[in-house]
Amino acid sequence: MMVPKAVETPPSMNEYPTFLLADIGGLAGVKRWLELRNVHKRAAGPIVNRYRFGSTAAESQLLDIASAIEYWTAANRRNHPWVSMPTQS
């Protein structure tokens, strides 16, 4: 197994993780995340890439997230009314 570049050994084995398994609903939550990630890679990728590959320039992160939001709204436009809600001026 190859370890991604951004993965570092914690300074202490007592370091608190970013989230606990219980925070995402246990193994069922992991399964839901993996299914979401497989179906919507273009939306989920920019969210996790920072943790997988390390930080990039703020401009690159902003463009990645904007692209993910655009993809997510396009993917949900037909089935969810929140996508077509009028914007407030």
Side-chain angles (χ1 to χ4, degrees):
M1 185 169 133
M2 209 167 123
V3 178
K5 291 181 206 175
V7 175
E8 299 174 359
T9 305
S12 164
M13 293 311 287
N14 295 328
E15 187 174 324
Y16 197 76
T18 304
F19 61 88
L20 300 174
L21 190 57
D23 295 337
I24 59 170
L27 293 178
V30 172
K31 181 182 179 201
R32 285 191 305 272
W33 169 253
L34 293 174
E35 288 170 353
L36 178 76
R37 172 68 173 100
N38 286 336
V39 173
H40 298 286
K41 292 177 184 173
R42 288 177 52 196
I47 296 167
V48 299
N49 283 347
R50 177 175 174 234
Y51 300 100
R52 293 184 66 207
F53 305 116
S55 229
T56 59
E59 295 85 354
S60 296
Q61 290 179 24
L62 182 60
L63 288 171
D64 287 346
I65 296 298
S67 174
I69 292 170
E70 181 64 26
Y71 167 81
W72 188 252
T73 55
N76 288 282
R77 185 165 281 124
R78 292 186 188 140
N79 302 323
H80 301 286
W82 63 265
V83 176
S84 58
M85 290 175 55
T87 57
Q88 296 178 356
S89 302

